[in-house]
Amino acid sequence: ETQREAVLDALDNVAERLAEEKEYLTDLDSAIGDADHGANMERGFGKAADKREEFAEMEPNEVVKNVGTTLISNVGGASGPLYGGSIMFASQELEGGITAETSVAFAEAYLDKVKDRGGAQVGAKTMVDALVPAVHTYKKSIEQDDLPPLEALAKAVDAAERGVAFTVPIKALKGRASFLDWRSVGHQDPGATSTLFILEELLETAE
Ligand code: ADP
Ligand code: MG
Ligand code: MG
């Protein structure tokens, strides 16, 4: 299987999973937001997955870049530019192909861009709470512990899961949920949750 096919399969799996989780993500967003996160994610990744034919001739990094631009033009809200812009930016790191090394660079560039654009640090009850532990765990597993990418990704998924749980008891400091102040406490963040679902599907595809 070529890298391009692996990327396209991952995209299909992510789109399918987000469609399955549409209602769940919408429920999470209805508690502390405007009840559109499920629809936003389903629409964005659905449109990207629909471009499979168009992507068939592209290099893996170009496919990833185009997924980003598709999300930017179809998701909207806070999550569209965060997901789309960051995927687009980070795709540069995959120009030489997808290896353990370039995947770490991609993950770090993606996280940096999300933090840069959104201005959220860990503890603001956003997708950053899932991403920071996931990206740090992935990088450490590969660079320090010498684990193969698949095992590193499995550890990153576990870390993201803990990050999602961590969003429940804390108060939102960024995004719509922050308008609720203390009333956001006790609810799981939708964007951290969709981030976890995406990582789970990347792992599932790689397995
Ligand atoms: P909107 O809030 O515009 O309706 P979505 O519902 O699609 O957009 O996405 C909401 C998610 O976006 C939140 O759950 C949170 O994880 C993420 N988010 C919102 N603002 C920020 C931010 N400044 N930095 C990082 N993530 C953010
Ligand atoms: Mg919303
Ligand atoms: Mg919205």
Side-chain angles (χ1 to χ4, degrees), residues 36-198:
D36 62 356
H37 192 60
N40 288 345
M41 297 304 287
E42 185 202 30
R43 186 175 57 253
F45 280 91
K47 293 263 186 200
D50 286 346
K51 296 191 178 172
R52 208 186 159 104
E53 305 279 286
E54 202 177 306
F55 292 163
E57 304 295 308
M58 294 181 187
E59 293 301 314
N61 66 300
E62 294 174 319
V63 175
V64 174
K65 183 179 179 181
N66 274 272
V67 169
T69 52
T70 305
L71 296 180
I72 293 173
S73 31
N74 291 286
V75 178
S79 59
L82 287 171
Y83 269 116
S86 305
I87 289 172
M88 201 185 103
F89 174 74
S91 71
Q92 296 174 84
E93 303 295 339
L94 302 177
E95 263 165 37
I98 304 174
T99 63
E101 200 185 351
T102 63
S103 67
V104 170
F106 174 85
E108 283 194 293
Y110 178 81
L111 170 62
D112 284 350
K113 201 67 180 177
V114 170
K115 287 170 82 174
D116 193 51
R117 284 194 168 231
Q121 298 297 323
V122 166
K125 199 182 184 94
T126 70
M127 54 178 75
V128 171
D129 294 332
L131 271 175
V132 163
V135 172
H136 288 187
T137 300
Y138 188 67
K139 182 181 166 70
K140 177 182 176 291
S141 298
I142 287 185
E143 292 183 355
Q144 287 175 42
D145 305 337
D146 256 330
L147 293 181
L150 193 61
E151 279 175 50
L153 185 54
K155 286 191 183 296
V157 167
D158 289 344
E161 208 172 330
R162 291 191 290 275
V164 169
F166 165 70
T167 66
V168 176
I170 63 177
K171 187 176 89 171
L173 304 175
K174 289 284 176 189
R176 269 174 198 288
S178 67
F179 306 156
L180 295 174
D181 196 53
W182 58 268
R183 281 171 293 145
S184 69
V185 169
H187 299 282
Q188 187 173 306
D189 180 65
T193 308
S194 58
T195 296
L196 170 63
F197 292 157
I198 292 169

